[in-house]
Amino acid sequence: MIRKLFEPKNPYDGFLGKIWDIWMHHNVAHAALLARWSWHKIPSKIVEQAAFMKQQADAVNRRSQIDAQVGHQLAMLGISPGFSGGGFGFNPDQAMFIGVMAMIRQHNGDPPAGSQDAVAVAELVLTGQRQPHEALIAAAPPMVRQQIAALLPVAKLIGLEKLLLVSSYVQAAVALPRERIIHLLPDANRLRVQSLYELVQSMPQNETDRPKMRAAFLWFVAELTEQGVIANLGMTKEQIAQNQPYDDVVRRLFELGWLTAES
């Protein structure tokens, strides 16, 4: 799942910048899963950017007169010859990144409509129990899966092996059921704490359920503290439960790096 073909300066900031760093230096599947988990943090303007880039890619295809059948077969592998982005300000990594982030934003983090086979194989691919390319094959209509399997060696021979690998892991990451995302992400407890905190902060001050959500947040932090997952909080589970020191707990979690001011 390692991906490092190009290494340009990070073109993004905030949450998208964090996802880009993971995409470029660690793991495209991790980046896609984290983007799905916090899809609302992806700027909506990336959808327009992806649409513009697709228009440019289509124009490149027409000018280069790529054989329609070849283009169709590559598309079945999740590869678009004109979608590399190199001719209009994007390298292949950034072009694919924009396309994936736009898709996640458009679907509100949910998997796009696809085959149940793709859903079934997604977690097996992401956990290393099945080969990456099986995610692409499972996502295709049954009548063309054999054809796609035959095309895989060809894609490798013409230098598309790394792009094929990235496409495979992205396919698995976007097909994974939403409820399974958190179980495959590193540092899952920190993400849960961050999400709970953001949920509390997003509620209006006069919202009747806000105190209940604050109490739920404190309960979860208290449980993690008792289990030793959160260390050096400076408060015991009993102190948190008795005093309900929400502001003090939040301040300390920021100091410990368990909470961040993500945009």
Side-chain angles (χ1 to χ4, degrees):
M1 287 192 283
I2 300 301
R3 170 68 164 165
K4 195 172 182 181
L5 290 183
F6 301 89
E7 194 168 355
K9 179 181 178 182
N10 191 329
Y12 307 103
D13 54 20
F15 176 72
L16 208 55
K18 175 182 177 180
I19 298 298
W20 172 259
D21 280 337
I22 296 172
W23 179 282
M24 289 300 295
H25 300 293
H26 297 284
N27 185 314
V28 293
H30 176 194
L33 290 173
L34 186 56
R36 286 185 59 198
W37 176 257
S38 299
W39 65 267
H40 55 285
K41 297 180 183 178
I42 301 174
S44 57
K45 64 181 180 181
I46 202 167
V47 177
E48 299 176 7
Q49 191 176 22
F52 171 76
M53 192 171 62
K54 181 64 166 61
Q55 291 176 353
Q56 297 297 307
D58 289 343
V60 170
N61 280 344
R62 287 193 296 270
R63 288 196 301 269
S64 60
Q65 296 181 327
I66 292 175
D67 180 83
Q69 183 61 27
V70 172
H72 174 68
Q73 291 176 336
L74 290 174
M76 288 195 300
L77 295 176
I79 297 166
S80 175
F83 205 57
S84 66
F88 42 95
F90 301 102
N91 64 50
D93 282 305
Q94 192 174 1
M96 181 176 282
F97 178 82
I98 290 171
V100 172
M101 293 303 112
M103 178 182 62
I104 290 171
R105 187 67 171 80
Q106 284 181 299
H107 289 86
N108 296 342
D110 289 326
S115 74
Q116 286 303 307
D117 290 337
V119 174
V121 80
E123 188 163 349
L124 296 174
V125 167
L126 294 172
T127 54
Q129 299 176 66
R130 300 283 286 272
Q131 291 299 311
H133 66 263
E134 294 185 51
L136 287 180
I137 296 173
M143 70 286 297
V144 297
R145 289 178 185 174
Q146 187 173 357
Q147 185 181 2
I148 290 178
L151 282 169
L152 292 172
V154 178
K156 294 179 181 179
L157 286 174
I158 61 176
L160 294 175
E161 183 172 7
K162 290 184 178 179
L163 184 57
L164 186 65
L165 186 64
V166 171
S167 298
S168 299
Y169 281 120
V170 166
Q171 173 59 54
V174 299
L176 187 75
R178 183 192 283 269
E179 64 272 15
R180 295 300 303 163
I181 293 175
I182 192 66
H183 300 285
L184 270 66
L185 283 172
D187 208 8
N189 282 322
R190 194 200 68 78
L191 289 171
R192 291 186 177 102
V193 170
Q194 180 80 32
S195 295
L196 271 175
Y197 168 72
E198 291 173 356
L199 182 59
V200 173
Q201 294 304 105
S202 68
M203 301 178 78
Q205 290 290 339
N206 60 352
E207 172 64 51
T208 55
D209 286 337
R210 185 180 173 96
K212 297 177 183 177
M213 286 306 306
R214 285 170 64 129
F217 172 83
L218 290 173
W219 169 82
F220 186 56
V221 171
E223 289 296 313
L224 293 179
T225 301
E226 184 180 52
Q227 295 169 19
V229 177
I230 298 178
N232 303 317
L233 186 66
M235 307 175 202
T236 64
K237 177 181 178 179
E238 290 72 23
Q239 289 172 326
I240 295 174
Q242 292 172 6
N243 301 324
Q244 297 287 297
Y246 179 80
D247 291 338
D248 291 339
V249 169
V250 166
R251 175 184 53 78
R252 186 62 182 142
L253 289 173
F254 269 102
E255 291 173 353
L256 294 173
W258 273 79
L259 289 176
T260 59
E262 295 181 347
S263 58

